[in-house]
Amino acid sequence: SLGLYEVWAVGRYGVSNSRRFVVDSLAVFNDPGNNNTIAQASPLTLPTAVQGKCDTAVIDHYKLDLKEGDSISIECFAKSIDSRLTPVLAVVDAKGKELASIRGHELKDPVLQFTASKSDSYY
Protein backbone atom coordinates (compact mmCIF):
# COMPACT_ATOMS: atom_id res chain seq x y z
CA SER A 1 0.00 0.00 0.00
CA LEU A 2 1.22 3.55 -0.76
CA GLY A 3 2.31 5.84 2.05
CA LEU A 4 4.90 6.68 4.69
CA TYR A 5 6.13 3.79 6.84
CA GLU A 6 8.43 3.16 9.80
CA VAL A 7 10.57 0.09 10.34
CA TRP A 8 12.50 -1.25 13.34
CA ALA A 9 14.92 -4.13 13.60
CA VAL A 10 14.84 -6.52 16.55
CA GLY A 11 17.96 -8.47 17.34
CA ARG A 12 20.03 -10.01 20.07
CA TYR A 13 20.85 -6.57 21.54
CA GLY A 14 17.33 -5.17 21.47
CA VAL A 15 15.30 -2.92 19.18
CA SER A 16 16.88 -0.40 16.80
CA ASN A 17 15.78 3.18 16.31
CA SER A 18 13.01 3.51 13.75
CA ARG A 19 13.66 4.58 10.15
CA ARG A 20 11.02 6.05 7.86
CA PHE A 21 10.60 5.45 4.16
CA VAL A 22 8.12 6.29 1.39
CA VAL A 23 6.26 3.85 -0.84
CA ASP A 24 4.75 5.32 -4.00
CA SER A 25 3.78 4.18 -7.50
CA LEU A 26 6.10 6.51 -9.46
CA ALA A 27 8.93 5.44 -11.72
CA VAL A 28 12.25 6.01 -9.90
CA PHE A 29 15.15 7.98 -11.36
CA ASN A 30 18.44 7.30 -9.55
CA ASP A 31 20.47 10.51 -9.33
CA PRO A 32 23.78 9.90 -11.15
CA GLY A 33 25.68 12.41 -9.01
CA ASN A 34 27.27 14.17 -11.99
CA ASN A 35 24.54 16.75 -12.61
CA ASN A 36 25.93 19.75 -10.75
CA THR A 37 25.49 22.32 -13.54
CA ILE A 38 22.68 23.23 -15.93
CA ALA A 39 24.81 21.86 -18.80
CA GLN A 40 24.98 18.49 -16.97
CA ALA A 41 21.28 18.45 -15.97
CA SER A 42 19.71 15.00 -15.89
CA PRO A 43 16.60 14.85 -18.12
CA LEU A 44 13.43 13.70 -16.35
CA THR A 45 10.21 12.28 -17.73
CA LEU A 46 7.17 13.02 -15.58
CA PRO A 47 5.76 11.67 -13.41
CA THR A 48 8.85 10.41 -11.60
CA ALA A 49 10.49 10.15 -8.20
CA VAL A 50 14.16 11.09 -7.89
CA GLN A 51 16.25 9.07 -5.48
CA GLY A 52 19.72 10.17 -4.52
CA LYS A 53 22.19 11.50 -2.03
CA CYS A 54 22.47 15.17 -1.11
CA ASP A 55 26.00 16.44 -0.69
CA THR A 56 26.78 19.55 1.35
CA ALA A 57 26.61 22.78 -0.69
CA VAL A 58 26.10 20.92 -4.00
CA ILE A 59 23.23 21.69 -6.35
CA ASP A 60 21.72 18.87 -8.40
CA HIS A 61 20.16 19.89 -11.71
CA TYR A 62 17.36 18.17 -13.61
CA LYS A 63 15.86 19.10 -16.98
CA LEU A 64 12.12 19.17 -17.66
CA ASP A 65 10.66 19.93 -21.07
CA LEU A 66 7.30 21.59 -20.44
CA LYS A 67 4.64 23.01 -22.70
CA GLU A 68 3.03 26.39 -22.07
CA GLY A 69 0.48 26.01 -19.29
CA ASP A 70 1.88 22.71 -17.94
CA SER A 71 1.77 22.69 -14.15
CA ILE A 72 4.12 20.63 -12.01
CA SER A 73 4.51 19.97 -8.32
CA ILE A 74 7.94 19.22 -6.84
CA GLU A 75 8.16 17.81 -3.32
CA CYS A 76 11.24 16.85 -1.33
CA PHE A 77 10.71 14.21 1.35
CA ALA A 78 13.31 15.03 3.97
CA LYS A 79 11.77 15.89 7.33
CA SER A 80 9.03 13.28 6.92
CA ILE A 81 11.70 10.55 6.69
CA ASP A 82 13.78 11.98 9.58
CA SER A 83 16.49 13.55 7.40
CA ARG A 84 18.44 16.53 8.73
CA LEU A 85 18.40 18.04 5.21
CA THR A 86 16.93 21.51 4.77
CA PRO A 87 16.22 21.43 1.03
CA VAL A 88 15.81 24.34 -1.34
CA LEU A 89 13.78 23.66 -4.48
CA ALA A 90 13.94 26.02 -7.44
CA VAL A 91 12.93 26.20 -11.08
CA VAL A 92 15.26 28.16 -13.35
CA ASP A 93 15.46 28.84 -17.07
CA ALA A 94 18.38 27.85 -19.34
CA LYS A 95 20.28 31.00 -18.32
CA GLY A 96 19.90 30.17 -14.61
CA LYS A 97 17.30 32.87 -13.90
CA GLU A 98 15.17 31.78 -10.94
CA LEU A 99 11.49 31.52 -11.83
CA ALA A 100 10.19 29.96 -8.59
CA SER A 101 11.68 28.66 -5.34
CA ILE A 102 10.85 27.42 -1.86
CA ARG A 103 12.97 26.49 1.13
CA GLY A 104 12.14 23.71 3.56
CA HIS A 105 12.36 24.18 7.30
CA GLU A 106 12.73 22.02 10.40
CA LEU A 107 9.05 21.09 10.61
CA LYS A 108 7.82 20.66 7.04
CA ASP A 109 8.95 19.35 3.67
CA PRO A 110 8.87 21.91 0.83
CA VAL A 111 6.41 21.64 -2.05
CA LEU A 112 7.01 23.85 -5.09
CA GLN A 113 4.16 24.53 -7.53
CA PHE A 114 5.14 25.83 -10.98
CA THR A 115 3.28 26.58 -14.22
CA ALA A 116 5.27 27.02 -17.44
CA SER A 117 4.70 30.39 -19.06
CA LYS A 118 6.00 29.10 -22.40
CA SER A 119 7.02 25.82 -24.04
CA ASP A 120 10.67 25.39 -23.09
CA SER A 121 13.21 23.44 -21.06
CA TYR A 122 13.21 24.21 -17.34
CA TYR A 123 15.78 23.23 -14.73
Side-chain angles (χ1 to χ4, degrees), residues 29-58:
F29 177 82
N30 289 304
D31 179 46
N34 63 352
N35 56 341
N36 304 123
T37 67
I38 288 176
Q40 298 170 312
S42 299
L44 296 178
T45 302
L46 298 178
T48 192
V50 176
Q51 175 178 288
K53 176 184 169 194
C54 293
D55 298 312
T56 303
V58 173

mmCIF file of all heavy atoms in Angstrom, residues 29-58:
data_model
loop_
_atom_site.group_PDB
_atom_site.id
_atom_site.type_symbol
_atom_site.label_atom_id
_atom_site.label_comp_id
_atom_site.label_asym_id
_atom_site.label_seq_id
_atom_site.Cartn_x
_atom_site.Cartn_y
_atom_site.Cartn_z
ATOM 1 N N PHE A 29 13.932 7.554 -10.680
ATOM 2 C CA PHE A 29 15.149 7.976 -11.361
ATOM 3 C C PHE A 29 16.249 8.043 -10.303
ATOM 4 O O PHE A 29 16.118 8.765 -9.324
ATOM 5 C CB PHE A 29 14.967 9.354 -12.016
ATOM 6 C CG PHE A 29 16.214 9.871 -12.663
ATOM 7 C CD1 PHE A 29 16.570 9.458 -13.932
ATOM 8 C CD2 PHE A 29 17.043 10.754 -11.992
ATOM 9 C CE1 PHE A 29 17.730 9.927 -14.531
ATOM 10 C CE2 PHE A 29 18.204 11.225 -12.573
ATOM 11 C CZ PHE A 29 18.549 10.807 -13.849
ATOM 12 N N ASN A 30 17.319 7.275 -10.483
ATOM 13 C CA ASN A 30 18.443 7.301 -9.545
ATOM 14 C C ASN A 30 19.411 8.398 -9.951
ATOM 15 O O ASN A 30 19.974 8.354 -11.052
ATOM 16 C CB ASN A 30 19.144 5.947 -9.506
ATOM 17 C CG ASN A 30 18.299 4.899 -8.821
ATOM 18 O OD1 ASN A 30 17.895 5.076 -7.690
ATOM 19 N ND2 ASN A 30 18.019 3.816 -9.528
ATOM 20 N N ASP A 31 19.588 9.371 -9.070
ATOM 21 C CA ASP A 31 20.467 10.506 -9.330
ATOM 22 C C ASP A 31 21.884 10.010 -9.626
ATOM 23 O O ASP A 31 22.472 9.292 -8.814
ATOM 24 C CB ASP A 31 20.472 11.441 -8.116
ATOM 25 C CG ASP A 31 21.371 12.635 -8.307
ATOM 26 O OD1 ASP A 31 21.297 13.249 -9.388
ATOM 27 O OD2 ASP A 31 22.155 12.950 -7.391
ATOM 28 N N PRO A 32 22.451 10.388 -10.783
ATOM 29 C CA PRO A 32 23.784 9.895 -11.147
ATOM 30 C C PRO A 32 24.921 10.575 -10.389
ATOM 31 O O PRO A 32 26.044 10.084 -10.385
ATOM 32 C CB PRO A 32 23.868 10.200 -12.646
ATOM 33 C CG PRO A 32 22.994 11.403 -12.816
ATOM 34 C CD PRO A 32 21.869 11.219 -11.821
ATOM 35 N N GLY A 33 24.641 11.730 -9.773
ATOM 36 C CA GLY A 33 25.677 12.413 -9.005
ATOM 37 C C GLY A 33 26.602 13.282 -9.828
ATOM 38 O O GLY A 33 27.508 13.904 -9.304
ATOM 39 N N ASN A 34 26.403 13.348 -11.137
ATOM 40 C CA ASN A 34 27.265 14.170 -11.993
ATOM 41 C C ASN A 34 26.486 15.295 -12.667
ATOM 42 O O ASN A 34 26.834 15.738 -13.744
ATOM 43 C CB ASN A 34 27.945 13.302 -13.053
ATOM 44 C CG ASN A 34 26.941 12.650 -13.989
ATOM 45 O OD1 ASN A 34 25.742 12.715 -13.772
ATOM 46 N ND2 ASN A 34 27.438 12.016 -15.026
ATOM 47 N N ASN A 35 25.445 15.769 -12.016
ATOM 48 C CA ASN A 35 24.540 16.755 -12.612
ATOM 49 C C ASN A 35 24.565 18.066 -11.823
ATOM 50 O O ASN A 35 23.540 18.595 -11.450
ATOM 51 C CB ASN A 35 23.121 16.183 -12.691
ATOM 52 C CG ASN A 35 22.600 15.718 -11.335
ATOM 53 O OD1 ASN A 35 23.361 15.492 -10.406
ATOM 54 N ND2 ASN A 35 21.299 15.577 -11.231
ATOM 55 N N ASN A 36 25.759 18.586 -11.618
ATOM 56 C CA ASN A 36 25.925 19.750 -10.754
ATOM 57 C C ASN A 36 25.902 21.091 -11.473
ATOM 58 O O ASN A 36 26.105 22.126 -10.843
ATOM 59 C CB ASN A 36 27.200 19.602 -9.928
ATOM 60 C CG ASN A 36 27.205 18.319 -9.117
ATOM 61 O OD1 ASN A 36 28.094 17.513 -9.246
ATOM 62 N ND2 ASN A 36 26.181 18.118 -8.314
ATOM 63 N N THR A 37 25.639 21.084 -12.777
ATOM 64 C CA THR A 37 25.489 22.321 -13.543
ATOM 65 C C THR A 37 24.284 22.169 -14.473
ATOM 66 O O THR A 37 23.834 21.046 -14.736
ATOM 67 C CB THR A 37 26.729 22.639 -14.402
ATOM 68 O OG1 THR A 37 26.849 21.644 -15.424
ATOM 69 C CG2 THR A 37 27.999 22.692 -13.564
ATOM 70 N N ILE A 38 23.789 23.285 -14.980
ATOM 71 C CA ILE A 38 22.679 23.225 -15.935
ATOM 72 C C ILE A 38 23.089 22.427 -17.172
ATOM 73 O O ILE A 38 22.307 21.642 -17.694
ATOM 74 C CB ILE A 38 22.195 24.648 -16.300
ATOM 75 C CG1 ILE A 38 21.457 25.247 -15.102
ATOM 76 C CG2 ILE A 38 21.299 24.630 -17.529
ATOM 77 C CD1 ILE A 38 21.003 26.676 -15.290
ATOM 78 N N ALA A 39 24.333 22.587 -17.630
ATOM 79 C CA ALA A 39 24.810 21.858 -18.800
ATOM 80 C C ALA A 39 24.819 20.341 -18.572
ATOM 81 O O ALA A 39 24.701 19.571 -19.519
ATOM 82 C CB ALA A 39 26.214 22.333 -19.172
ATOM 83 N N GLN A 40 24.949 19.913 -17.314
ATOM 84 C CA GLN A 40 24.977 18.488 -16.973
ATOM 85 C C GLN A 40 23.633 17.988 -16.450
ATOM 86 O O GLN A 40 23.543 16.871 -15.946
ATOM 87 C CB GLN A 40 26.030 18.226 -15.893
ATOM 88 C CG GLN A 40 27.448 18.552 -16.296
ATOM 89 C CD GLN A 40 28.385 18.505 -15.095
ATOM 90 O OE1 GLN A 40 28.085 19.072 -14.053
ATOM 91 N NE2 GLN A 40 29.507 17.837 -15.265
ATOM 92 N N ALA A 41 22.579 18.794 -16.552
ATOM 93 C CA ALA A 41 21.279 18.453 -15.973
ATOM 94 C C ALA A 41 20.778 17.104 -16.479
ATOM 95 O O ALA A 41 20.848 16.796 -17.667
ATOM 96 C CB ALA A 41 20.260 19.542 -16.304
ATOM 97 N N SER A 42 20.284 16.302 -15.559
ATOM 98 C CA SER A 42 19.708 14.996 -15.891
ATOM 99 C C SER A 42 18.285 15.196 -16.393
ATOM 100 O O SER A 42 17.462 15.790 -15.703
ATOM 101 C CB SER A 42 19.670 14.104 -14.655
ATOM 102 O OG SER A 42 20.958 13.873 -14.151
ATOM 103 N N PRO A 43 17.964 14.702 -17.605
ATOM 104 C CA PRO A 43 16.599 14.849 -18.116
ATOM 105 C C PRO A 43 15.641 13.929 -17.372
ATOM 106 O O PRO A 43 15.968 12.788 -17.072
ATOM 107 C CB PRO A 43 16.720 14.450 -19.588
ATOM 108 C CG PRO A 43 17.953 13.622 -19.674
ATOM 109 C CD PRO A 43 18.860 14.051 -18.561
ATOM 110 N N LEU A 44 14.468 14.461 -17.039
ATOM 111 C CA LEU A 44 13.435 13.698 -16.350
ATOM 112 C C LEU A 44 12.190 13.592 -17.220
ATOM 113 O O LEU A 44 11.864 14.517 -17.956
ATOM 114 C CB LEU A 44 13.048 14.365 -15.026
ATOM 115 C CG LEU A 44 14.105 14.469 -13.946
ATOM 116 C CD1 LEU A 44 13.545 15.201 -12.737
ATOM 117 C CD2 LEU A 44 14.622 13.092 -13.552
ATOM 118 N N THR A 45 11.504 12.476 -17.106
ATOM 119 C CA THR A 45 10.205 12.280 -17.728
ATOM 120 C C THR A 45 9.194 12.176 -16.600
ATOM 121 O O THR A 45 9.376 11.382 -15.681
ATOM 122 C CB THR A 45 10.195 10.987 -18.571
ATOM 123 O OG1 THR A 45 11.223 11.065 -19.548
ATOM 124 C CG2 THR A 45 8.860 10.796 -19.255
ATOM 125 N N LEU A 46 8.159 12.990 -16.659
ATOM 126 C CA LEU A 46 7.167 13.021 -15.584
ATOM 127 C C LEU A 46 6.043 12.038 -15.844
ATOM 128 O O LEU A 46 5.723 11.768 -16.996
ATOM 129 C CB LEU A 46 6.611 14.433 -15.456
ATOM 130 C CG LEU A 46 7.644 15.495 -15.079
ATOM 131 C CD1 LEU A 46 6.985 16.861 -15.021
ATOM 132 C CD2 LEU A 46 8.313 15.161 -13.764
ATOM 133 N N PRO A 47 5.430 11.503 -14.818
ATOM 134 C CA PRO A 47 5.762 11.674 -13.406
ATOM 135 C C PRO A 47 6.916 10.760 -13.011
ATOM 136 O O PRO A 47 7.068 9.663 -13.547
ATOM 137 C CB PRO A 47 4.473 11.264 -12.687
ATOM 138 C CG PRO A 47 3.864 10.235 -13.593
ATOM 139 C CD PRO A 47 4.223 10.673 -15.006
ATOM 140 N N THR A 48 7.721 11.204 -12.064
ATOM 141 C CA THR A 48 8.852 10.405 -11.603
ATOM 142 C C THR A 48 9.241 10.786 -10.180
ATOM 143 O O THR A 48 8.937 11.890 -9.728
ATOM 144 C CB THR A 48 10.067 10.564 -12.546
ATOM 145 O OG1 THR A 48 11.039 9.581 -12.255
ATOM 146 C CG2 THR A 48 10.688 11.928 -12.426
ATOM 147 N N ALA A 49 9.896 9.885 -9.513
ATOM 148 C CA ALA A 49 10.491 10.147 -8.202
ATOM 149 C C ALA A 49 12.005 10.107 -8.390
ATOM 150 O O ALA A 49 12.523 9.233 -9.090
ATOM 151 C CB ALA A 49 10.069 9.092 -7.191
ATOM 152 N N VAL A 50 12.702 11.054 -7.812
ATOM 153 C CA VAL A 50 14.163 11.087 -7.892
ATOM 154 C C VAL A 50 14.708 10.574 -6.568
ATOM 155 O O VAL A 50 14.312 11.022 -5.500
ATOM 156 C CB VAL A 50 14.681 12.520 -8.168
ATOM 157 C CG1 VAL A 50 16.196 12.552 -8.156
ATOM 158 C CG2 VAL A 50 14.140 13.025 -9.500
ATOM 159 N N GLN A 51 15.623 9.649 -6.662
ATOM 160 C CA GLN A 51 16.249 9.069 -5.478
ATOM 161 C C GLN A 51 17.739 9.350 -5.558
ATOM 162 O O GLN A 51 18.360 9.122 -6.581
ATOM 163 C CB GLN A 51 16.003 7.559 -5.470
ATOM 164 C CG GLN A 51 16.700 6.819 -4.369
ATOM 165 C CD GLN A 51 16.358 5.347 -4.433
ATOM 166 O OE1 GLN A 51 15.244 4.973 -4.106
ATOM 167 N NE2 GLN A 51 17.293 4.538 -4.875
ATOM 168 N N GLY A 52 18.298 9.887 -4.485
ATOM 169 C CA GLY A 52 19.724 10.166 -4.519
ATOM 170 C C GLY A 52 20.248 10.629 -3.186
ATOM 171 O O GLY A 52 19.542 10.637 -2.175
ATOM 172 N N LYS A 53 21.481 11.028 -3.214
ATOM 173 C CA LYS A 53 22.187 11.496 -2.027
ATOM 174 C C LYS A 53 22.440 12.987 -2.175
ATOM 175 O O LYS A 53 22.839 13.453 -3.239
ATOM 176 C CB LYS A 53 23.515 10.750 -1.914
ATOM 177 C CG LYS A 53 24.388 11.212 -0.789
ATOM 178 C CD LYS A 53 25.721 10.475 -0.831
ATOM 179 C CE LYS A 53 26.685 11.124 0.128
ATOM 180 N NZ LYS A 53 28.046 10.680 -0.100
ATOM 181 N N CYS A 54 22.202 13.732 -1.108
ATOM 182 C CA CYS A 54 22.466 15.169 -1.114
ATOM 183 C C CYS A 54 23.816 15.426 -0.472
ATOM 184 O O CYS A 54 24.051 15.016 0.666
ATOM 185 C CB CYS A 54 21.381 15.919 -0.346
ATOM 186 S SG CYS A 54 19.778 15.843 -1.131
ATOM 187 N N ASP A 55 24.692 16.064 -1.217
ATOM 188 C CA ASP A 55 26.003 16.442 -0.692
ATOM 189 C C ASP A 55 25.950 17.883 -0.209
ATOM 190 O O ASP A 55 25.201 18.701 -0.757
ATOM 191 C CB ASP A 55 27.081 16.281 -1.770
ATOM 192 C CG ASP A 55 27.217 14.840 -2.220
ATOM 193 O OD1 ASP A 55 27.309 13.959 -1.344
ATOM 194 O OD2 ASP A 55 27.231 14.600 -3.441
ATOM 195 N N THR A 56 26.744 18.213 0.783
ATOM 196 C CA THR A 56 26.778 19.554 1.348
ATOM 197 C C THR A 56 27.151 20.575 0.287
ATOM 198 O O THR A 56 28.132 20.403 -0.436
ATOM 199 C CB THR A 56 27.798 19.615 2.505
ATOM 200 O OG1 THR A 56 27.426 18.633 3.476
ATOM 201 C CG2 THR A 56 27.811 20.983 3.146
ATOM 202 N N ALA A 57 26.354 21.633 0.190
ATOM 203 C CA ALA A 57 26.609 22.781 -0.689
ATOM 204 C C ALA A 57 26.748 22.406 -2.164
ATOM 205 O O ALA A 57 27.452 23.072 -2.913
ATOM 206 C CB ALA A 57 27.827 23.555 -0.212
ATOM 207 N N VAL A 58 26.076 21.337 -2.595
ATOM 208 C CA VAL A 58 26.101 20.920 -3.996
ATOM 209 C C VAL A 58 24.673 21.002 -4.535
ATOM 210 O O VAL A 58 23.737 20.549 -3.884
ATOM 211 C CB VAL A 58 26.651 19.485 -4.151
ATOM 212 C CG1 VAL A 58 26.521 19.008 -5.584
ATOM 213 C CG2 VAL A 58 28.095 19.407 -3.696
#
